[in-house]
Amino acid sequence: EDDRFIPFFAQKNMNFDGEWSRMQHKIGLMSHRGYKPESPNQDDFFVLARPESLLLGVLDGHGPLGHEIAHFAQERLPTLLAGKLRQDPEAWEASVKASMAELVAAAKADLDGKAEDSGCTVTVSMLDQAPFSSHPSTSSTSSVPRLRLRSGFLGDSIAVHAYRPSKTSPWEVKQLVDCHRPDRPDELERIKSMGGEVLVSPIPGHSARLVTPEWNLAMSRSFGDFHA
């Protein structure tokens, strides 16, 4: 709450646990407060680094208490997801879905209605080594591990993978998510089939809005926003 009084676009204070010197990857972080006079910085994130993997998450809050909803997810989702992946490292999609279901249940039980009119996006990615059995083209005698990057998302926070074979080569950028926007064809069909309404902006380039009883949302899915 205190950073409601810091300048707009100021960098968010960050807290770290553990020993940075033991991390195998370099990580850059940037989070600026937006132009919302009535709100603190509503972004949150997590980085869970282990010798065998790197789990990243970004949460972008919205609504009057979006910062509290994002922080609630930030404190719980890494533990939920990491625990399920320890049981079955290959069950990424099932683990993400089950973790989010538990997170939603916890929010309804513990947040005293704060998530009715506020919410956040959730985008998570994990970098780890793929088992050789998942790459039929890889020789079983090869000793070189293959890295993989898996992602899951809820809302419209974008994750991308950028690669270049050398410092002089151009970057090759691939978007890892297909944002949940109200006018995405399958989302639009789902919303209308459930009796919902989507307001398409007459201004080119502006987001369509999901019409809700309280206000309109620029995304078709999120964590929280239970009134919608």
Side-chain angles (χ1 to χ4, degrees), residues 136-150:
S137 61
T138 301
S139 170
S140 59
T141 60
S142 173
S143 60
V144 179
R146 296 190 61 175
L147 292 176
R148 63 180 171 184
L149 183 62
R150 297 177 287 179

Side-chain angles (χ1 to χ4, degrees), residues 3-11 32-39:
D3 72 4
R4 284 182 299 172
F5 307 105
I6 68 173
F8 298 124
F9 310 113
Q11 172 71 1
H32 283 176
R33 182 190 179 199
Y35 188 71
K36 287 185 177 180
E38 74 285 357
S39 300

Side-chain angles (χ1 to χ4, degrees), residues 2-222:
D2 291 343
D3 72 4
R4 284 182 299 172
F5 307 105
I6 68 173
F8 298 124
F9 310 113
Q11 172 71 1
K12 183 184 181 78
N13 291 328
M14 301 178 187
N15 299 313
F16 305 97
D17 294 319
E19 298 180 29
W20 279 104
S21 61
R22 299 179 62 183
M23 290 189 62
Q24 300 182 29
H25 302 278
K26 295 180 180 179
I27 297 175
L29 303 169
M30 180 66 70
S31 176
H32 283 176
R33 182 190 179 199
Y35 188 71
K36 287 185 177 180
E38 74 285 357
S39 300
N41 187 327
Q42 295 187 305
D43 298 340
D44 224 321
F45 70 95
F46 59 82
V47 178
L48 185 59
R50 290 184 168 146
E52 71 280 3
S53 65
L54 186 67
L55 179 62
L56 312 168
V58 173
L59 309 110
D60 183 1
H62 55 261
L65 298 174
H67 48 290
E68 292 192 33
I69 309 307
H71 189 62
F72 183 89
Q74 184 263 352
E75 288 188 318
R76 291 161 178 80
L77 182 57
T79 301
L80 290 171
L81 185 51
K84 288 175 171 48
L85 289 171
R86 275 197 296 270
Q87 298 175 23
D88 186 355
E90 302 312 301
W92 170 257
E93 184 173 344
S95 296
V96 172
K97 289 182 177 180
S99 297
M100 287 305 306
E102 290 186 32
L103 191 64
V104 167
K108 290 182 176 179
D110 300 337
L111 282 176
D112 297 323
K114 292 180 178 179
E116 287 297 314
D117 299 324
S118 299
C120 72
T121 67
V122 179
T123 295
V124 294
S125 295
M126 172 171 270
L127 179 69
D128 66 353
Q129 295 181 4
F132 291 110
S133 60
S134 65
H135 298 284
S137 61
T138 301
S139 170
S140 59
T141 60
S142 173
S143 60
V144 179
R146 296 190 61 175
L147 292 176
R148 63 180 171 184
L149 183 62
R150 297 177 287 179
S151 294
F153 64 99
L154 195 62
D156 60 358
S157 289
I158 297 175
V160 301
H161 172 253
Y163 166 80
R164 60 178 179 176
S166 68
K167 291 184 177 181
T168 58
S169 302
W171 286 99
E172 299 176 13
V173 180
K174 178 182 179 182
Q175 185 167 315
L176 302 177
V177 304
D178 185 9
C179 294
H180 290 126
R181 301 192 187 280
D183 56 351
R184 202 179 87 177
D186 57 335
E187 287 292 279
L188 179 60
E189 182 179 353
R190 179 182 66 85
I191 293 166
K192 289 184 175 180
S193 70
M194 299 178 69
E197 182 182 353
V198 172
L199 181 64
V200 179
S201 173
I203 304 174
H206 283 229
S207 300
R209 315 288 291 191
L210 172 64
V211 179
T212 78
E214 298 297 329
W215 54 72
N216 300 339
L217 297 172
M219 65 202 73
S220 55
R221 303 190 192 215
S222 64

